[in-house]
Amino acid sequence: MRSVKTLSPVALLKALQARAKLVKKKAFARGSEIGLILSSIAIGLAAGAAVSGMSWISRAMHNLIFGIEMSEWLSASEIENKTVVLIAPVCGGILLGLFLFILARRRKRQIVDPIEANALYGGRISLTDSFIVAAQNLISNGFGASVGLEAGYTQLSAGIGSKIGTKLKLRREDMRILVGCGAAGAIAAAFNAPLTGAFYAFELIIGTYSMVALAPVVISAIIATFVARALSGNSFVIEVGEIGVITPADYLPAILLGAICAVIGIVIMQGVAFIEEMARKSSIPPYVRPALGGIIVGLLGMVTPQVLSAGHGALHLNLDSDAPVKILIGIFLLKSLASAVSIGSGFRGGLFFASLFMGSLLGKIFGMPADLITTGSLTPTVLAVVGMSALAVAIIGGPLTMTFLALEITADFPITALVLAAVITSSVVVRTTFGYSFATWRFHLRGESIRSAHDVGWIRNLTVDKMMRADVKCARLGTGLDAFRETFPLGSAKRVILLDDSDRYAGIISLPDIYADEAEATRPRTSLVEFLSHQNDFLLPQMNARQAAAIFDQSHAEALAVVNNLIERKVIGQLSEAHTLRRYSEELDRQRREAVGEVT
């Protein structure tokens, strides 16, 4: 690389001008809401194109593998060759297993999804990892596994948003907003529902609502919807039948249906976790599991193709049909099992659309007992819409997201109010009895404590290692009092850390106590051991500010030593409670100011 000295004056001037333009562009994006909006437009365009592209690839795979028309949905098709239905998911499992085998050898780090990225990593997602997830999702869905493409849509679109934010070197909060823009665009395009996409981002990806995020997220959702509609037409539209008249008496069965959906949603989530746990405890390698899961999915698909793929066609098929309750129960059980086996065995995808399909089945099944509660004014279509929203809230989360989805697919305000009552009931029941959505439940099983996308990563980054003082006063435990006082005169330090003969932490001595005892006590203490405190209270460098504050509170200490680990206990620093709380408060205030858009 040439040094600045070798550049001609003209070349140096051009380089400085280019650098100034780049800095100005990044500063514009960082400090201006208009900059975020312009970035969100680009993300919306990319999200709409990504959703349309992935959807087209999936349909092309269904056309090639199962021999159906490009205009048909796999789950609503009549496939005469049952052997293909059995073999396709198995082949998909083998291909995905090979993918996982190669991936395990080349990439050791775990792939971060949008919720985890916004909660822990300040909105940073690897775009390469996002393409990997999208490819795995396409293989799973394309070969008929009972999973939707929404996981791939949101991962890829959020990854694009994160990449744009990284290139512009945006602040942590702005990065989180752009990740939300990507997810909003993906869901909006996938359902032709911009309000649904926007509130999906607010409730599930960003974790909070703010005026700063409102314009970028909504604009991204609208742009993505227009792009997907232009590229794919009305293929993403969910059409429902006649709604009918909603009466006040209909709220009671809707609330009851919401509670039932909550309980069933919890069972489904635990069922997926149970299958994953069984697979982990078995001696079957991870790259073999998808093929075995594909066998079960293929056998279920031979019973009815409605269990295959996400279930778009099956949803429309059942909304328009008057199938007997026994048939609906059978389809629901088969789809639940197929989805649990698909995800539990390692197929990549989500339960967003599957939960909508299963919820619509629950709503229609609930129609018979609902007639005993009310005057029978609730139509099967209304119950299907209420059921699909309530079960989706139980599994995915986002009560307002699912409420706006009901509004956008029905364009009917009375049923939206009915759905709102049901989803609130479902959400409350799940939160109070289970406490997790599908995504956060899987984080919990991996050992993560996050329950939403609310930003807690900054707390983990504010570690004891970053806050402590390394210049600590230390002395030997066997030092005499006179020698100690000579080495540490009054005022030279507030406290001294004592070490044993192996240089391991032994405790803390308050220097003023040493001199106060000499001046005031009738029988002065004779050794340093008598002044020791907090022998078993210390901090570790990887602890965060919240953990450190809890230890200070338990030990009633004003300051504690920091040791390298629990075994060696070598002192590497010291941290006071006052400094910990001050740094925590400063960081909390900075996060608050970023969230409301104040320049920091």
Side-chain angles (χ1 to χ4, degrees), residues 544-562:
N544 60 51
R546 183 177 291 175
Q547 292 170 323
I551 293 177
F552 280 123
D553 186 56
Q554 292 171 2
S555 62
H556 303 287
E558 293 182 359
L560 289 173
V562 182

Side-chain angles (χ1 to χ4, degrees), residues 465-478:
D465 181 51
K466 294 179 180 179
M467 296 186 294
M468 71 178 188
R469 291 180 51 189
D471 55 334
V472 294
K473 304 287 186 180
C474 297
R476 292 287 178 183
L477 188 60

Side-chain angles (χ1 to χ4, degrees), residues 120-336:
L120 301 178
Y121 304 112
R124 295 190 175 274
I125 304 175
S126 166
L127 187 56
T128 302
D129 287 353
S130 297
F131 276 108
I132 290 173
V133 170
Q136 292 175 332
N137 199 177
L138 280 170
I139 293 172
S140 303
N141 181 276
F143 280 88
S146 190
V147 294
L149 287 172
E150 292 79 22
Y153 294 158
T154 54
Q155 181 78 35
L156 184 54
S157 301
I160 293 171
S162 180
K163 187 69 173 180
I164 290 175
T166 302
K167 288 293 184 181
L168 295 175
K169 299 188 182 300
L170 298 185
R171 301 173 303 175
R172 183 186 186 95
E173 190 61 29
D174 294 340
M175 288 280 292
R176 296 178 73 252
I177 290 173
L178 291 191
V179 169
C181 289
I187 296 301
F191 292 95
N192 193 37
L195 287 176
T196 301
F199 277 86
Y200 178 88
F202 290 134
E203 292 187 297
L204 300 175
I205 304 300
I206 300 175
T208 186
Y209 168 86
S210 70
M211 291 301 295
V212 176
L214 176 61
V217 168
V218 172
I219 289 172
S220 178
I222 293 172
I223 294 293
T225 304
F226 287 156
V227 171
R229 194 179 297 170
L231 295 176
S232 303
N234 293 324
S235 59
F236 297 111
V237 175
I238 299 176
E239 296 180 354
V240 298
E242 188 68 26
I243 298 298
V245 179
I246 306 297
T247 66
D250 296 333
Y251 281 83
L252 178 60
I255 291 171
L256 180 58
L257 178 56
I260 293 171
C261 287
V263 174
I264 293 176
I266 293 171
V267 172
I268 291 173
M269 288 187 281
Q270 290 184 323
V272 174
F274 175 73
I275 293 174
E276 286 182 322
E277 185 64 21
M278 285 181 58
R280 276 195 297 267
K281 289 181 177 179
S282 71
S283 57
I284 303 171
Y287 51 85
V288 177
R289 297 170 193 166
L292 298 179
I295 296 173
I296 299 175
V297 174
L299 291 172
L300 296 175
M302 292 178 69
V303 178
T304 172
Q306 293 190 41
V307 305
L308 300 177
S309 192
H312 287 78
L315 173 64
H316 291 96
L317 195 65
N318 286 281
L319 282 175
D320 295 335
S321 72
D322 295 321
V325 172
K326 290 183 180 179
I327 299 296
L328 296 176
I329 292 174
I331 295 172
F332 174 81
L333 293 176
L334 291 174
K335 180 63 177 179
S336 301

Side-chain angles (χ1 to χ4, degrees), residues 97-111:
L98 181 62
F99 196 126
L100 294 174
F101 180 78
I102 297 172
L103 203 62
R105 290 178 172 270
R106 295 192 175 186
R107 301 176 70 86
K108 300 300 181 182
R109 70 174 185 269
Q110 198 163 24
I111 293 177

Side-chain angles (χ1 to χ4, degrees), residues 366-376:
F366 182 74
M368 185 173 65
D371 289 341
L372 303 177
I373 301 173
T374 65
T375 59

Side-chain angles (χ1 to χ4, degrees), residues 387-420:
M388 68 194 296
S389 303
L391 186 64
V393 165
I395 296 176
I396 306 301
L400 287 179
T401 301
M402 302 309 168
T403 302
F404 278 111
L405 179 60
L407 174 62
E408 289 181 297
I409 65 176
T410 64
D412 187 281
F413 282 99
I415 194 176
T416 303
L418 198 68
V419 166
L420 184 60

Side-chain angles (χ1 to χ4, degrees), residues 38 107 144 178 285 321 343 381 418 436 456 483 501 540 546-547:
L38 293 177
R107 301 176 70 86
L178 291 191
S321 72
I343 295 176
T381 301
L418 198 68
Y436 298 92
V456 296
D501 294 335
L540 298 173
R546 183 177 291 175
Q547 292 170 323

